[in-house]
Amino acid sequence: MCRMSNIKNLSLFGNKLEGQIPKYIWKCPHLETLSLSYNNFSGSIPFEIGNMSMLKELYLGMNAIQGGIPAEIGKLSRLEKLDIANASLTGNIPSSIFNISSLTHVNLGYNNLFGTLPSKLGISLPNLERLYLGENRLEGPIPSSINNVSKLIVLDLGDNSFIGSIPDFGNLKHLQSIYLHQNHLNAEKSRTHELTFLPSLTKCRNLKYLALADNSLNGILPASIGNFSSSLQTMWLHNSHIMGAIPSEIGNLSSLLLLNLRENQLRGHIC
């Protein structure tokens, strides 16, 4: 394999390979797809990965890779899919990754990544459709610039340590799934203590899954919740310090299959 300098696609997915990823792989200048997921590879990702200028798809998930994500990945200007989920990664997510305008899919979930997300996260990602960062140790606020990622379909930031207000997602017209559960998020409220970010989600006409459970929302569900898309199937809002009555308008959600409001501070009658 050492002499296959012209190889474009290399897939060793789903084997029992172990040890460090061979160094010669990072020297294949024409490689466009590298799939090494679901093996027992260890070691670290070398900075030489930045030299693979033709790379479009990189899959390294479900391994035991040590260390962090090298900033040199940001040099891969043609990269479309980056998946290093569940690979024992540590450290910060290099801000350079969020400058790769060709990205459509980023999955760094189920690692031990920490630190904050860059405030300009959404400025240079015009093609991003799926962002999975759940099950890490990320903290700080969710950047409001994420509302600029107009093609986003899935946003998973669940099970981290994010703080601050939930931003406006109203510009994300293609959004189907939002996972913000198990963080330390709160929400801006009106004078009547209604949760003001929820009306912005009514603009997301393709929304199917909404997970906000285990946060500190400390507000009242607005009547506008009944204006959510008819596509909405699941709402996880349990243990989120929601107060007041359940608005009768919630009955307008004709496609709703699961509504979880347990362990809140709701009162009144169920109509």
Side-chain angles (χ1 to χ4, degrees):
M1 293 183 69
C2 301
R3 298 179 181 178
M4 295 193 301
S5 59
N6 292 319
I7 191 170
K8 290 187 176 182
N9 299 285
L10 176 59
S11 179
L12 300 174
F13 174 96
N15 282 286
K16 297 181 180 180
L17 299 170
E18 57 186 23
Q20 295 193 4
I21 299 172
K23 293 182 179 180
Y24 64 80
I25 287 180
W26 312 115
K27 298 179 181 180
C28 296
H30 301 290
L31 204 59
E32 296 180 2
T33 300
L34 176 60
S35 179
L36 304 179
S37 297
Y38 287 88
N39 280 288
N40 296 311
F41 285 118
S42 57
S44 59
I45 304 172
F47 67 86
E48 285 89 351
I49 193 173
N51 297 326
M52 304 175 72
S53 59
M54 304 298 290
L55 202 61
K56 294 182 180 180
E57 300 184 19
L58 176 63
Y59 305 99
L60 301 177
M62 296 299 295
N63 282 294
I65 295 171
Q66 301 160 356
I69 304 171
E72 285 76 11
I73 282 185
K75 296 180 181 180
L76 305 179
S77 60
R78 302 188 183 200
L79 195 63
E80 297 174 4
K81 296 183 179 181
L82 173 63
D83 192 327
I84 321 179
N86 206 337
S88 302
L89 293 172
T90 60
N92 294 281
I93 301 176
S95 59
S96 59
I97 287 178
F98 300 111
N99 291 324
I100 305 175
S101 61
S102 54
L103 280 172
T104 63
H105 176 116
V106 175
N107 189 353
L108 301 175
Y110 294 87
N111 284 295
N112 290 301
L113 298 168
F114 53 80
T116 60
L117 297 179
S119 60
K120 297 182 179 180
L121 177 147
I123 303 302
S124 302
L125 297 170
N127 297 300
L128 190 64
E129 297 178 359
R130 300 175 186 275
L131 178 61
Y132 301 93
L133 300 178
E135 299 276 351
N136 279 290
R137 294 189 288 142
L138 300 170
E139 57 189 5
I142 298 174
S144 59
S145 62
I146 203 165
N147 199 38
N148 294 311
V149 189
S150 59
K151 293 184 180 181
L152 202 61
I153 296 173
V154 178
L155 174 63
D156 183 0
L157 302 178
D159 204 350
N160 278 287
S161 296
F162 288 111
I163 61 172
S165 297
I166 297 173
D168 186 323
F169 294 116
N171 191 48
L172 306 180
K173 309 298 184 184
H174 301 286
L175 203 58
Q176 295 181 13
S177 303
I178 306 176
Y179 302 102
L180 302 178
H181 56 284
Q182 292 185 348
N183 280 287
H184 307 297
L185 297 168
N186 53 50
E188 295 183 2
K189 291 170 277 292
S190 68
R191 293 181 180 179
T192 57
H193 297 286
E194 291 185 333
L195 300 170
T196 56
F197 76 93
L198 284 172
S200 73
L201 291 175
T202 63
K203 300 175 184 177
C204 304
R205 306 311 298 172
N206 297 299
L207 192 62
K208 294 181 180 180
Y209 306 102
L210 175 61
L212 299 171
D214 297 299
N215 282 293
S216 300
L217 302 183
N218 293 308
I220 297 172
L221 296 176
S224 60
I225 198 170
N227 296 329
F228 270 69
S229 171
S230 59
S231 64
L232 190 65
Q233 297 177 11
T234 303
M235 293 178 67
W236 287 280
L237 300 174
H238 54 277
N239 193 26
S240 296
H241 302 277
I242 296 175
M243 306 177 291
I246 300 174
S248 60
E249 289 82 0
I250 208 166
N252 296 339
L253 304 178
S254 57
S255 297
L256 199 62
L257 301 176
L258 187 155
L259 173 62
N260 193 336
L261 291 169
R262 74 173 194 270
E263 298 179 81
N264 281 295
Q265 300 166 25
L266 297 165
R267 55 179 173 78
H269 300 280
I270 299 178
C271 300

